[in-house]
Amino acid sequence: MFKGSIVALITPMDDKGRLCKKSLKKLVHYHIKNKTNAIVSVGTTGESATLNQREHASVIMHTLELADENIPIIAGTGANATSESILLTKNLEKSGISGCLSVTPYYNKPTQKGLYLHFRAISENTDLPQILYNVPNRTGCDLLPKTIIRLSKLDNIIGLKDASGDLSRVNQIKPLVKKDFILISGDDTTALDFMQLGGQGVISVTANIAAPYMTQMCNFALQGDFAKARLINKKLTILHHLLFQETNPIPIKWAAHYIGLIKHNTLRLPMTPLLKKNQATLSSTIDSINLYAK
């Protein structure tokens, strides 16, 4: 279940900034229909930073209910306080989620020892499978290969989402971790290259609006047919870049609203709506690919 196209799901909100359950239902069913391999609920793309703990858990539980066991749900449980990550994780232990995605603590800038002890403490307080998430350009710290290799020896730390942008890390990590340790890209623009080097999939922002394409691309890559995978990826390349022309999830939320997947283009401050000049370029790209809610 932790391979292929996994969507970093946006959290749809109504015009007052509350969870829009109707839009969430549409999103979940869109991914079931288009055979997305799994959903990450309330990861960083899901605006975890601006949801309180009650809301955080509520969105995950609503997503689980709507999925109705038709698609695995991975919960975002990262925080910059170890105790908060442990609490989020423990509160979900009997919920039915398939695993947790835990981002490195942001702003704190822990040392490698601090990062190791942080993830070890979470691991020791749960039996849920744990996927490490490294995204240094957003968190201010970098989980280095030597620390990942050390953490991989812990039983329930099963994989890594790597959004460092450094493709050389696949070859640094893969030979020195357990054979079943999962390496997943966290960067749509380099995901196919990551998979060709030995990664098993991508936790994707683009999949929010291009689920069938991302599923097909990852399936071809996992089958070793990289020629066909590259044809699909070529079609999506400009889209990958435009979805990060402003800070994620600003563009992807606008795009999901544009194609009719969510009712409102609502973000919580300090996030702001996509600039009009960027809406024009993104909409023309979406139209050229013929993306629409289906």
Side-chain angles (χ1 to χ4, degrees):
M1 66 182 73
F2 300 122
K3 66 178 182 179
S5 177
I6 301 169
V7 63
L9 197 71
I10 56 175
T11 298
M13 298 174 185
D14 64 19
D15 56 357
K16 299 195 185 310
R18 301 168 302 200
L19 173 66
C20 180
K21 296 177 185 177
K22 187 174 181 180
S23 292
L24 182 61
K25 181 178 181 179
K26 192 167 187 175
L27 283 169
V28 172
H29 289 182
Y30 169 76
H31 288 288
I32 293 170
K33 183 177 180 180
N34 288 293
K35 302 188 185 305
T36 298
N37 290 88
I39 289 171
V40 173
S41 179
V42 200
T44 47
T45 299
E47 296 176 82
S48 56
T50 56
L51 298 179
N52 63 40
Q53 280 204 6
R54 179 185 57 78
E55 292 171 320
H56 193 126
S58 176
V59 174
I60 292 168
M61 295 310 295
H62 280 298
T63 306
L64 265 170
E65 183 181 351
L66 291 165
D68 195 25
E69 299 183 358
N70 288 300
I71 186 170
I73 305 299
I74 302 166
T77 54
N80 62 334
T82 306
S83 58
E84 185 177 350
S85 286
I86 291 171
L87 183 61
L88 277 168
T89 304
K90 288 183 74 66
N91 285 345
L92 293 166
E93 279 201 316
K94 296 181 180 179
S95 65
I97 63 165
S98 298
C100 298
L101 179 69
S102 188
V103 70
T104 54
Y106 46 88
Y107 185 79
N108 305 30
K109 297 186 77 171
T111 63
Q112 294 303 302
K113 180 179 179 181
L115 288 167
Y116 174 78
L117 293 173
H118 169 79
F119 287 115
R120 189 182 74 178
I122 297 168
S123 171
E124 289 173 344
N125 279 277
T126 185
D127 293 323
L128 284 169
Q130 301 291 308
I131 301 171
L132 311 170
Y133 177 19
N134 188 36
V135 55
N137 70 331
R138 293 293 292 261
T139 62
C141 68
D142 190 358
L143 187 65
L144 296 177
K146 64 179 182 180
T147 310
I148 293 162
I149 292 161
R150 191 178 175 200
L151 285 164
S152 73
K153 301 182 190 306
L154 303 177
D155 287 343
N156 59 342
I157 294 183
I158 63 159
L160 167 73
K161 174 186 176 183
D162 181 71
S164 69
D166 182 357
L167 290 172
S168 72
R169 292 193 178 189
V170 180
N171 289 327
Q172 292 179 55
I173 295 166
K174 196 170 179 64
L176 297 173
V177 294
K178 296 173 288 190
K179 190 175 181 180
D180 59 353
F181 189 79
I182 304 159
L183 293 175
I184 303 172
S185 172
D187 176 30
D188 281 303
T189 58
T190 59
L192 186 53
D193 293 325
F194 187 98
M195 292 182 72
Q196 193 156 11
L197 289 167
Q200 287 95 354
V202 57
I203 295 179
S204 169
V205 172
T206 302
N208 276 283
I209 60 167
Y213 290 112
M214 291 302 296
T215 298
Q216 291 165 19
M217 186 195 79
C218 288
N219 286 347
F220 282 131
L222 289 169
Q223 293 160 17
D225 193 340
F226 287 97
K228 287 182 180 175
R230 290 204 177 278
L231 285 175
I232 298 170
N233 194 53
K234 186 177 179 181
K235 181 179 287 195
L236 298 175
T237 297
I238 296 173
L239 183 63
H240 292 327
H241 287 287
L242 289 178
L243 289 175
F244 286 86
Q245 62 188 320
E246 291 183 42
T247 306
N248 181 47
I250 291 172
I252 191 60
K253 260 201 158 169
W254 184 90
H257 173 67
Y258 179 74
I259 69 170
L261 273 172
I262 61 175
K263 187 175 181 181
H264 300 279
N265 176 34
T266 304
L267 301 108
R268 288 184 177 179
L269 286 171
M271 308 306 286
T272 53
L274 188 66
L275 295 172
K276 288 198 178 294
K277 65 177 183 179
N278 293 331
Q279 291 177 20
T281 53
L282 184 51
S283 62
S284 63
T285 299
I286 288 170
D287 293 344
S288 70
I289 303 171
N290 195 27
L291 294 175
Y292 56 94
K294 60 182 179 179

